[in-house]
Each structure stands twice: as C-alpha cells, then as structure tokens.
Amino acid sequence: MKSKAPHYLLTPILVSAFFILHIVNEYFGLLPTHLIVKYSLYYGGLSICLLALAIYLFKKNEKAVFWSILALIIFFFFGSFHDFIKSTSLPAFFSSYTFLLPFFLLALIVGIVAIRKSSSTFITINKYLFLLFALITSYETVMLVVNSFRRDELRLVQNRQQQPVTELPTIADSARPDIFYIVFDEYPSSLSLKENCNFDNGSIDSSFKRNQFIIADSAVSNYNSTPLSIA
C-alpha cells in the first residue's frame, strides 16, 4: 500500500494560505497588493523550507508534515496566543517573551524527539489537519471573492471615515499653543536604561523638564514598530 504522504504535503502550504487570506479579509482594502504578494511569497517559501527541514529530520513524510504544521501554527498564531495570555489573570511572567520564547522553542525540540520516537504513523491526524485547513482556507477564499464584489461599498465606508471634520471652528495659528511631540526612536525609557544598562539619563530628563516637557519616564510598548507604539 502506497503512502498518502504526497497528499498531506499540501497542508503546510494551506496553513500559510489561510493566514494570508484571513489577514487580507480582515483588513480588506487597506493592504497594498505588492505587500500581499510579497508576504505570500515569504510565507510560502517558509512553509516549503520548514517542510524540507522536517523531512530531513524525520525521514518519513507523515511525521515531517505533522511537525511542520505545528511549527507553522506556533509561528503564525503566536501573537494571538500572546494577547490571550495577557488578558488572563496569570502572573505577568507567563506572558513575557522571557518565558514564552524559550517555552515554544523547547516545545518544538521536544516535539522533534517525541515524534521521531513515536510508533504512530500520524495518518489520522494528518487527514484531520488537511481537511480542517482545506475547509477554512476555502471559506476565506469565498470571503475574498465576496469582498471583491463589495469593493465599492467598502471603499465608500473607508472614504467616509477618512473625510475631514468640517464642523470644527477655524482657529488662527497665533492663538494655538505650541505643542512639540518628541520621539527618540528606539531609545529606551530612563527607567529601562537605569535598570538594564546602569545608565543615568537624568541630564536629558532634567533638560526637558526645565522647558516644561512632560516625560513618559516609565514607558513600555507592546510592539516593535514605531507607528504602532506611538498610537
């Protein structure tokens, strides 16, 4: 009896396809086409490379497919899982990167050892995962077609949201206060510099305070991107 592994080799690609399609539908009309194509190629290449690595490690296609799917699920849905953990009542340590990154790395390594030693063929679970991602990817594809037909309607809503507010009174520039928002991009807070680098940032803070600036001396961010952090 021939192995059905070639059939399951499509599943890692389906995982990437589902993730891309879901994001495109979630933010339909807001993502430029070149960006969608770019990350589709990135993630498709990642899936293929990860599957090739898994085949080299396990020597059996069924086990390789199963492990690569788990790795891709961790990669794509880490952000959502992280947000969920932060919303629970667990201690902050369990939602920190200090805990989560080593935890998932260890999980992947333990997974390699456990799957290699397992006597299971992983046929049933691979069938289930293939069917699951085939269905939800098909759903997202249908939603993409539906959104494409509603493009004009969605664009109208977006344009309304972007229209400037005209009801506000006009104020002369001379009557407006001078407001300066200064961002030291990639520069840690004074508290972080003191605790992690043993560096005293007091001279800069004092200079701003003398000029009546308000300092976010204990600032933190959930993102590694400046525009998202500022927002």
Side-chain angles (χ1 to χ4, degrees):
M1 182 176 179
K2 293 184 179 180
S3 171
K4 296 183 179 180
H7 178 67
Y8 305 133
L9 290 177
L10 293 174
T11 313
I13 301 297
L14 287 175
V15 176
S16 299
F18 164 73
F19 182 79
I20 289 290
L21 288 169
H22 179 73
I23 294 299
V24 171
N25 285 324
E26 189 77 11
Y27 301 99
F28 187 84
L30 301 177
L31 300 175
T33 302
H34 73 88
L35 198 63
I36 297 173
V37 173
K38 174 183 175 181
Y39 278 94
S40 296
L41 294 174
Y42 280 169
Y43 293 150
L46 172 66
S47 301
I48 294 172
C49 291
L50 196 60
L51 179 59
L53 173 64
I55 291 175
Y56 172 78
L57 291 173
F58 295 104
K59 310 302 181 185
K60 292 186 177 181
N61 289 337
E62 292 88 348
K63 292 185 175 183
V65 169
F66 178 66
W67 181 85
S68 60
I69 292 171
L70 294 182
L72 286 170
I73 288 175
I74 292 174
F75 174 75
F76 285 126
F77 300 102
F78 175 83
S80 298
F81 179 78
H82 189 207
D83 290 339
F84 168 75
I85 290 295
K86 288 190 294 184
S87 68
T88 65
S89 58
L90 290 173
F93 171 75
F94 292 102
S95 63
S96 67
Y97 292 115
T98 304
F99 170 77
L100 288 177
L101 293 181
F103 173 80
F104 281 115
L105 178 60
L106 180 62
L108 289 174
I109 295 173
V110 170
I112 292 175
V113 176
I115 292 172
R116 289 189 62 165
K117 291 184 177 181
S118 174
S119 59
S120 173
T121 59
F122 294 92
I123 294 294
T124 302
I125 187 65
N126 279 335
K127 284 183 178 180
Y128 169 77
L129 291 172
F130 175 81
L131 180 60
L132 172 65
F133 281 100
L135 287 174
I136 59 179
T137 302
S138 299
Y139 170 79
E140 293 293 345
T141 302
V142 172
M143 290 306 301
L144 180 61
V145 174
V146 172
N147 287 335
S148 298
F149 281 107
R150 297 177 59 230
R151 181 181 296 273
D152 292 337
E153 177 186 341
L154 293 172
R155 184 182 294 114
L156 179 61
V157 173
Q158 292 165 8
N159 289 339
R160 285 177 178 174
Q161 292 174 343
Q162 295 172 1
Q163 287 179 355
V165 179
T166 57
E167 293 80 6
L168 295 177
T170 301
I171 303 175
D173 289 343
S174 59
R176 296 177 180 178
D178 293 326
I179 299 176
F180 299 91
Y181 190 57
I182 301 176
V183 180
F184 286 25
D185 197 12
E186 299 188 12
Y187 194 87
S189 67
S190 297
L191 179 62
S192 176
L193 286 171
K194 186 172 184 61
E195 291 182 348
N196 300 304
C197 303
N198 196 27
F199 178 80
D200 185 3
N201 201 46
S203 59
I204 295 179
D205 291 346
S206 299
S207 176
F208 279 113
K209 289 178 180 178
R210 283 196 301 268
N211 289 278
Q212 300 182 341
F213 279 92
I214 298 174
I215 297 176
D217 54 3
S218 300
V220 296
S221 175
N222 291 329
Y223 306 97
N224 61 354
S225 173
T226 298
L228 295 176
S229 300
I230 293 175

